[in-house]
Amino acid sequence: MSLGKLANCTSCDALFVQSTRDVCPKCYQAIEKDYEKCAQFLRKRENRGSTLQQVSEATGVSAKQITRFIREGRISIANTPNLGYPCENCGTTIQKGTFCDNCAHDLKREINQQLDVDQRLADFEKERNAQGYKRKDHIIE
């Protein structure tokens, strides 16, 4: 049975014995307190229309940490229609994933275009190599 390894906390850089988390026990407790602040704020019916920035200002929890809670599924956005976080590419407010629909579509299109170019280059190389071998065979004979 492994007891863990020494690691630096990703939050405060303190040295601790890492088992399952990448933060030290002190930072973990602080994160849990931040989560409770956010959850209590959003449980109130009048706060369910709040935006990410409004929740951050009211609770003192960073928007980045609230975004983590949403992505981890700890904060449900089902009853909070205005709560979302920015798209990684353009900054549009989204409620799931990493990219908005437009950026995801653009990224898929770019990937498909690159795959097409890669396939064409591979086909060209195969054809060129096949022609090169034919010439060598022809010269040898």
Side-chain angles (χ1 to χ4, degrees):
M1 181 173 154
S2 178
L3 297 175
K5 63 179 183 176
L6 284 179
N8 289 89
C9 175
T10 57
S11 183
C12 72
D13 208 34
L15 190 63
F16 74 107
V17 177
Q18 182 182 23
S19 56
T20 57
R21 298 181 198 100
D22 59 351
V23 294
C24 68
K26 184 179 176 182
C27 289
Y28 178 73
Q29 287 179 351
I31 290 169
E32 290 304 302
K33 285 181 183 177
D34 286 348
Y35 168 72
E36 276 304 314
K37 287 179 196 176
C38 294
Q40 285 178 351
F41 178 79
L42 291 169
R43 281 185 193 119
K44 295 179 183 175
R45 188 176 303 272
E46 64 270 13
N47 295 334
R48 291 187 185 160
S50 300
T51 64
L52 179 67
Q53 193 61 37
Q54 290 169 332
V55 175
S56 178
E57 290 172 3
T59 61
V61 178
S62 72
K64 185 176 181 180
Q65 184 61 54
I66 296 169
T67 299
R68 278 193 208 116
F69 293 146
I70 295 169
R71 285 189 175 157
E72 291 169 357
R74 296 185 72 187
I75 292 180
S76 173
I77 54 175
N79 295 322
T80 54
N82 297 328
L83 189 60
Y85 49 91
C87 167
E88 291 286 325
N89 189 50
C90 70
T92 299
T93 301
I94 56 175
Q95 293 189 321
K96 63 180 180 183
T98 306
F99 300 107
C100 67
D101 290 340
N102 289 337
C103 290
H105 176 73
D106 290 347
L107 184 60
K108 284 178 188 176
R109 184 176 43 79
E110 288 177 24
I111 290 171
N112 287 333
Q113 285 176 344
Q114 187 61 48
L115 289 172
D116 185 47
V117 167
D118 291 346
Q119 185 61 50
R120 287 182 192 178
L121 285 172
D123 291 346
F124 176 76
E125 283 294 319
K126 283 181 186 177
E127 188 177 315
R128 194 175 87 192
N129 289 338
Q131 289 174 356
Y133 290 134
K134 287 179 183 175
R135 279 192 224 132
K136 287 181 184 176
D137 290 342
H138 183 67
I139 294 171
I140 293 173
E141 292 179 340

